[in-house]
Amino acid sequence: QVQLVESGGGLVQPGGSLRLSCAASGFTLDFYRLGWFRQAPGKEREGVSCISNNYGVTYYADSVKGRFTISRDNAKNTVYLQMNNLKPEDTGVYYCAASLSGYTAKTMCRELRGDYWGQGTQVTVSS
């Protein structure tokens, strides 16, 4: 069964950090572009950060540049999102996705492209 399972969400104070993980099962991530997306209450889903399947080309939304870092460990079949200096506006449900299509990381994020999606993990930034 093909699955993406996110973990690592939670409640954190402004300025804090969280590390999200997304583990794949039933398929190998090696050839997939991977991404993190989020959806805040009452807002549309947006692409946060995406990474290519080769050369590790990354894309970040302007709102998270310099604070978030995406990485992948193909040996562990996992993609990560390190989130530092979190702000209340980072609150939302975070989803990971995998895309086998020939999109760039930027296109994957900006057009919300994904062949497989996780179920999401809640991130709440509040004092």
Side-chain angles (χ1 to χ4, degrees), residues 94-126:
Y94 282 69
Y95 302 88
C96 67
S99 174
L100 191 59
S101 301
Y103 307 113
T104 63
K106 179 178 180 178
T107 298
M108 181 181 180
C109 259
R110 298 187 73 169
E111 297 186 4
L112 308 184
R113 300 286 184 172
D115 298 321
Y116 303 115
W117 291 82
Q119 83 290 345
T121 185
Q122 176 71 43
V123 171
T124 303
V125 185
S126 175

Side-chain angles (χ1 to χ4, degrees), residues 24-99:
S25 60
F27 70 112
T28 303
L29 290 179
D30 295 37
F31 302 106
Y32 285 79
R33 291 145 187 85
L34 305 172
W36 287 95
F37 302 80
R38 70 185 179 191
Q39 188 162 18
K43 294 187 177 181
E44 294 185 350
R45 190 173 298 190
E46 63 173 341
V48 174
S49 181
C50 295
I51 186 168
S52 66
N53 60 307
N54 54 3
Y55 307 115
V57 178
T58 57
Y59 167 85
Y60 295 93
D62 287 343
S63 58
V64 306
K65 279 181 183 176
R67 300 188 297 121
F68 290 11
T69 303
I70 190 171
S71 61
R72 61 190 297 162
D73 187 337
N74 289 344
K76 295 183 178 180
N77 225 24
T78 301
V79 59
Y80 304 96
L81 186 68
Q82 177 67 43
M83 306 186 294
N84 298 328
N85 190 21
L86 282 160
K87 303 177 181 181
E89 51 263 42
D90 295 318
T91 294
V93 179
Y94 282 69
Y95 302 88
C96 67
S99 174

